[in-house]
Amino acid sequence: MTVEAELFAAGATLVIGIDEVGRGAIAGPVAVGAHAVLAGTDGFPAGLRDSKLLSEKRREAIAPLVAEWGAGAVGFASAEEIDARGIGAMLGESARRALLALHADGVPVDRAVILLDGAHDWLSAALRRPLDVRTRVGADRSCASVAAASVRAKVARDAVMREAHKAHPGYGWDSNKGYGCRSHYEGIARHGLTALHRSSWIKRAPAA
């Protein structure tokens, strides 16, 4: 919470951390999590880390604690949208959808400092009106608000892919979550593509 505390000391009343999950997958949506932290918030859930540093079991266990810690939301963009508009545009749109959900829940998004993991601001171009977006390399590992957003996005997207596996069990999505591992490509070779595949990313795969 050091970065958040510095922002609060400088006058911010609300910090919203944002992080994405599923950018590099070849099937399923991209998900962007947002987590709001109010000035005066002390501490954070024990064991909170960037979702990539937590096992699936640990992420599932800590997710309810994250939900209790503050308001949050996850925005999604489908494989079809990614094929049509590109991953960069849909990262921004997914984040906008998450922020709209926060706004609908009464969070004053327009008064927040928004912390975005990484060096590139892929959010602002998607916004209808400007917000105070600040990028920070490694924010998912150094800012509790962004780590919380990462956990929210990862847990939500994993649930989507586990459900998708029930309808399409031939691709191993219950374990690979739509990423391009060997078993996934073997499933494509056997069964072709589904509507959940990012078909423009898989040039050599046969269409179903």
Side-chain angles (χ1 to χ4, degrees), residues 117-206:
D117 180 49
H120 174 59
D121 178 2
W122 40 259
L123 169 57
S124 291
L127 300 174
R128 302 295 186 266
R129 61 183 64 182
L131 297 175
D132 187 358
V133 178
R134 307 187 192 184
T135 60
R136 184 178 180 88
V137 175
D140 52 356
R141 302 192 183 199
S142 63
C143 305
S145 60
V146 180
S150 174
V151 169
R152 284 181 178 274
K154 179 62 173 168
V155 169
R157 187 181 184 279
D158 281 0
V160 168
M161 296 310 296
R162 285 194 296 269
E163 283 299 307
H165 173 77
K166 295 176 183 178
H168 304 283
Y171 303 91
W173 292 340
D174 57 334
S175 58
N176 65 49
K177 305 302 188 292
Y179 286 88
C181 65
R182 179 176 178 178
S183 63
H184 191 171
Y185 279 109
E186 289 174 348
I188 292 172
R190 287 193 301 268
H191 306 295
L193 301 183
T194 70
L196 292 175
H197 280 99
R198 303 175 190 177
S199 58
S200 65
W201 293 33
I202 312 168
K203 301 298 186 183
R204 298 180 184 178

Side-chain angles (χ1 to χ4, degrees), residues 35 45 62-72 148 151-152:
H35 185 91
I62 204 170
L65 303 180
V66 169
E68 292 175 4
W69 185 48
V151 169
R152 284 181 178 274

